[in-house]
Amino acid sequence: MRVAAPKLFVPVMHRPYIFRGVMWDDHWEYDAPCVLYGPVKRYGIGGNTGHLASMIEEVCELITLVEELPVEFSDHDLKEFKWRGWSPRNFARRTGWHIRCTVAFHREKYGLNFRMGKMRETFKGKH
């Protein structure tokens, strides 16, 4: 039985990528769930939309180190989503604070680097 290899994000130099994420109120006492849903998927916990920007920066830094990264959520994240009753397919449509950030990767003398461009925050849904 063959196991499919995981999809990998391998950046094309100088091509702009739009990273997207969402943070929403899930009625936690202090923090809120944060999810990057494109082009790389990651889950984290934060207290404000600045955490989404930090997650994007951390993912980009990791990409510069390993030069490829699995695209999909980890098995651990998927188990937590199932336990919490969240569908990974609905994050882009979820009511909450959404962020879009343009990122371009480029080669430098000592390796891969990135530049974060415009960042836009919007609120989707009912207040």
Side-chain angles (χ1 to χ4, degrees):
M1 178 181 198
R2 282 185 157 166
V3 176
K7 281 183 168 180
L8 297 175
F9 176 81
V10 180
V12 175
M13 297 305 108
H14 306 288
R15 177 183 169 200
Y17 293 93
I18 299 174
F19 281 74
R20 293 177 170 91
V22 62
M23 182 187 82
W24 68 94
D25 180 9
D26 211 39
H27 308 290
W28 296 355
E29 188 171 357
Y30 296 107
D31 295 322
C34 295
V35 170
L36 297 182
Y37 54 84
V40 176
K41 300 175 182 178
R42 292 290 179 275
Y43 168 63
I45 296 170
N48 57 46
T49 53
H51 187 73
L52 287 169
S54 296
M55 286 176 68
I56 292 171
E57 192 170 355
E58 288 171 10
V59 164
C60 290
E61 287 173 356
L62 186 57
I63 290 168
T64 64
L65 295 174
V66 297
E67 299 197 14
E68 62 183 28
L69 205 60
V71 171
E72 298 300 325
F73 291 111
S74 70
D75 289 339
H76 179 268
D77 292 346
L78 292 172
K79 287 176 186 173
E80 181 157 348
F81 297 163
K82 185 176 181 179
W83 177 74
R84 293 187 181 279
W86 301 338
S87 170
R89 294 182 176 189
N90 295 330
F91 290 131
R93 296 185 300 273
R94 186 173 273 284
T95 295
W97 294 270
H98 289 257
I99 191 170
R100 290 172 46 120
C101 180
T102 305
V103 176
F105 293 88
H106 58 276
R107 289 233 174 256
E108 290 184 347
K109 184 177 180 179
Y110 298 105
L112 193 60
N113 205 343
F114 66 96
R115 185 183 75 253
M116 292 177 72
K118 287 185 177 180
M119 191 167 307
R120 188 178 75 176
E121 288 183 36
T122 56
F123 186 86
K124 288 184 183 176
K126 297 178 181 179
H127 283 281

